[in-house]
Amino acid sequence: MRLLHTLAKTRASFDDPNLMSHAGLVPAMAFAERARLHELAAEYVRPAGGQGANAGLKVACLVAGMAAGADSIDDMGLLRHGAMEKVFGGVRAPSTLGSFLRAFTWGNVSQLGRAHREFLVNLARDAPLLPGAETLAFIDIDSTQKRVFGYRKQGARFGHTKIQGKSLLVKGLNALAGTISTPLSAPVIGAARLRGGNAPTGRGAASLVKEVIGTARKCGCAGLLVVRIDSGFYSASVISAIRSAGARFSVTVPMNSSVRAAITAIPEDAWTPVRYPRAIWDDQLDCWVSDAEVAETEYTAFVSKKNRQVTARLIVRRVRDLNKKAAQGQDELFPVWRYHAVFTGSPFETVQAEGQHRDHAIVEQVFADWYDGPLAHLPSGHFNANAAWLVIAAMAHNLVRAAGTLASLPYAKARAATIRRDLISVAARIARHGRGHLTLHLPEAWHREHEWLNFWHAACGPPPIAA
């Protein structure tokens, strides 16, 4: 690619009042209105004082800005350019939105969380966010330590996080999130909660699990529901919350003495080789040759807690440890294994249940999308403002995910950054004709024209007929 005109004859000026750089916000916010975003925020969220007025419009502004790629309060200025104020009403300045967030109390954040959950239910009603949910769905609970800087961030503390497989102490704020997905869908966020940077992993997890399970049921997850969590959430209260809500659990078990004793008792002939991508098929043995094997046994957890014991399946995966001195001629006398145990109430057979638990890593996709979008920063020095920002970021994530599902099947599982780039951040020029008629003129030969129009017709056309 090369320029066709000399630079001396090329000019640039910001003077077109009919141009907008994010035309995809038109169908996105039309679909958000259909899902009652404004009404839900106005009904439930009531910050005190004049700064908390018009909560419905201000929450919608923040969702729109994050859907377009804003990752700080100042970035909300992207809503105030060109023809945006001719297409949208109630656009607020970044300073107004910042004051609105700082007016939040923890109670207001909880109100916003309720609006977020009902907004997701409405999105799932009008968009195929969770295909196959009537048969099987997964809930993944996990936390992430968001690094922050400066001395004025309320709640910022040193907490553990993993970077490239190493556990490090990082100063930041801790975000706890619960996602909902199916084997056919990408995850959406059922609930999100901000905690202090030094919060223990399991703090507040039991109540959040109940919220996410209730939201999943309202979203149409009427079949089997499996909650997948890692060892940081292995506690009697969390398992009890999952079971009392009518869901199954699948939790990584820390290696304590009782778990080791249960693994030792597994007979050698009970281990089944696991087919991994790099496993080798042996024609003579007629089986997959792999360094990983799985087996299961019965296990009773939380024996020391009265009336809270749980008996279920303990599924163990063992991986053969590499002999680092084999190249030096020091062969091993017997194989050495590393063990990974999963305590689960899943009804699936051993290999399938173990593989499904490893898919818990899908929650990291949500965190990656957040870090590449609205959670690139926690922009305020006020803890409650950042907590509200986190919940609104979850609302924006779900809206972007709904846009992808309405556009095409590939976009239903695409990264949020890809959806923003191809469907939302598209320039358009507005033209008025007749009384109240508006046309968006988008780039000719746009490489995602078909998908964009699918999204447009689904969001701006007549609503689907109720069954």
Side-chain angles (χ1 to χ4, degrees):
M1 179 182 288
R2 55 188 291 267
L3 289 172
L4 294 178
H5 306 279
T6 61
L7 295 178
K9 297 181 179 181
T10 304
R11 298 288 184 269
S13 63
F14 292 86
D15 57 3
D16 194 333
N18 296 315
L19 189 66
M20 56 190 302
S21 62
H22 293 83
L25 283 179
V26 177
M29 296 313 294
F31 195 69
E33 287 186 13
R34 181 176 294 178
R36 301 184 64 246
L37 171 62
H38 301 76
E39 291 88 342
L40 291 172
E43 179 181 357
Y44 295 131
V45 184
R46 300 187 183 92
Q51 296 172 341
N54 297 317
L57 286 174
K58 293 174 182 177
V59 169
C61 283
L62 290 163
V63 169
M66 292 181 185
D71 62 14
S72 66
I73 295 174
D74 285 343
D75 281 353
M76 294 297 164
L78 61 83
L79 300 176
R80 307 178 74 205
H81 69 273
M84 292 290 286
E85 293 188 353
K86 298 178 181 178
V87 178
F88 298 100
V91 178
R92 296 296 192 264
S95 59
T96 302
L97 297 176
S99 299
F100 171 67
L101 290 173
R102 289 189 291 273
F104 271 68
T105 63
W106 184 251
N108 298 137
V109 176
S110 299
Q111 295 170 350
L112 185 62
R114 181 179 177 184
H116 158 249
R117 294 191 297 274
E118 294 200 19
F119 179 57
L120 174 58
V121 172
N122 294 340
L123 289 177
R125 178 197 61 203
D126 297 330
L129 279 175
L130 298 167
E134 67 281 356
T135 302
L136 173 64
F138 297 102
I139 290 176
D140 295 286
I141 308 296
D142 210 342
S143 63
T144 180
Q145 184 82 354
K146 175 57 188 171
R147 186 193 296 267
V148 298
F149 303 91
Y151 297 99
R152 295 187 177 181
K153 291 279 188 182
Q154 292 180 353
R157 299 290 187 273
F158 282 95
H160 286 277
T161 188
K162 281 191 175 182
I163 299 177
Q164 295 183 343
K166 296 181 179 179
S167 182
L168 301 174
L169 276 175
V170 172
K171 184 180 180 181
L173 293 167
N174 191 274
L176 178 66
T179 67
I180 309 169
S181 63
T182 71
L184 302 176
S185 75
V188 293
I189 302 173
R193 187 178 300 167
L194 190 67
R195 307 180 297 181
N198 60 348
T201 303
R203 177 183 292 175
S207 60
L208 185 125
V209 161
K210 291 182 178 180
E211 289 180 1
V212 181
I213 292 175
T215 303
R217 293 300 187 194
K218 292 180 181 178
C219 288
C221 300
L224 182 64
L225 197 57
V226 181
V227 180
R228 302 181 294 200
I229 47 182
D230 60 28
S231 59
F233 302 95
Y234 178 74
S235 68
S237 60
V238 174
I239 301 300
S240 176
I242 295 171
R243 299 178 73 195
S244 63
R248 305 294 183 96
F249 62 90
S250 182
V251 54
T252 305
V253 181
M255 282 294 170
N256 54 38
S257 57
S258 60
V259 172
R260 291 191 183 95
I263 295 174
T264 304
I266 298 176
E268 192 62 29
D269 58 359
W271 295 96
T272 303
V274 179
R275 177 183 173 182
Y276 280 147
R278 294 185 180 181
I280 301 173
W281 178 257
D282 191 314
D283 291 326
Q284 294 181 346
L285 298 177
D286 194 29
C287 67
W288 289 95
V289 178
S290 172
D291 285 339
E293 299 175 344
V294 296
E296 73 168 84
T297 185
E298 188 178 86
Y299 179 72
T300 301
F302 317 120
V303 177
S304 62
K305 297 185 181 295
K306 187 178 181 180
N307 299 326
R308 305 190 75 176
Q309 297 90 346
V310 179
T311 300
R313 305 160 66 192
L314 185 70
I315 297 178
V316 185
R317 174 170 57 95
R318 68 179 187 180
V319 180
R320 191 163 181 173
D321 206 0
L322 296 178
N323 180 13
K324 299 180 181 180
K325 296 185 178 181
Q328 303 174 11
Q330 299 184 24
D331 294 333
E332 59 186 11
L333 297 177
F334 51 85
V336 179
W337 302 89
R338 291 181 286 113
Y339 295 93
H340 308 270
V342 177
F343 186 54
T344 181
S346 170
F348 296 97
E349 56 93 16
T350 305
V351 175
Q352 188 176 10
E354 193 275 333
Q356 287 175 346
H357 182 79
R358 282 188 282 112
D359 289 339
H360 168 67
I362 195 174
V363 72
E364 299 298 336
Q365 174 185 327
V366 174
F367 293 151
D369 284 343
W370 262 357
Y371 283 178
D372 196 26
L375 218 64
H377 305 95
L378 286 169
S380 179
H382 295 257
F383 181 85
N384 291 327
N386 287 326
W389 180 273
L390 177 71
V391 177
I392 296 173
M395 301 171 82
H397 173 90
N398 293 341
L399 180 61
V400 170
R401 183 57 58 200
T405 61
L406 294 174
S408 68
L409 286 177
Y411 278 102
K413 287 193 173 184
R415 291 288 303 274
T418 302
I419 299 174
R420 285 196 298 267
R421 181 195 64 207
D422 292 348
L423 302 180
I424 296 178
S425 299
V426 187
R429 188 186 306 276
I430 68 167
R432 295 180 177 180
H433 56 93
R435 179 174 295 180
H437 291 272
L438 192 71
T439 299
L440 299 179
H441 293 278
L442 290 93
E444 184 180 8
W446 180 249
H447 68 298
R448 295 297 182 226
E449 175 183 351
H450 180 69
E451 291 86 349
W452 198 95
L453 289 176
N454 286 343
F455 178 34
W456 170 270
H457 292 307
C460 300
I465 300 175

